[in-house]
Amino acid sequence: YKLDAAHVPTFLYDVGKVRVQERFEAKDNMMERSVVWDAAALPDLAISHPDGVIMTEAKDSTAGKRTFIYSWK
């Protein structure tokens, strides 16, 4: 993982030969999760979500850069 200037971690891992970056940040009593990868090399990255939360995908999400907002029920 790596930390940004605010010490928010970005987790780094590989799916096959494709590097994935995943970041979680608390915002307004919710959790924002960003997942970034090379969509041309891996068009169908499987992304699962935790149980017990309400998940909304951000309107600006695209293949290769998806953002999810989680709130608790």
Side-chain angles (χ1 to χ4, degrees), residues 30-37 43 45 47-49 53-71:
M30 293 182 260
M31 181 68 67
E32 182 176 287
R33 175 188 185 192
S34 298
V35 185
V36 178
W37 74 99
L45 178 67
I47 300 174
S48 60
H49 304 283
V53 298
I54 298 167
M55 185 276 296
T56 305
E57 187 162 2
K59 292 178 183 179
D60 62 348
S61 284
T62 61
K65 185 172 190 254
R66 297 181 68 189
T67 301
F68 305 96
I69 309 298
Y70 299 118
S71 58

Side-chain angles (χ1 to χ4, degrees), residues 1-27:
Y1 70 94
K2 62 182 179 180
L3 299 174
D4 67 11
H7 298 131
V8 176
T10 297
F11 299 95
L12 309 169
Y13 56 92
D14 296 324
V15 176
K17 294 182 179 182
V18 178
R19 173 54 51 112
V20 178
Q21 299 180 45
E22 191 164 1
R23 183 175 192 268
F24 294 84
E25 184 176 6
K27 290 186 174 182

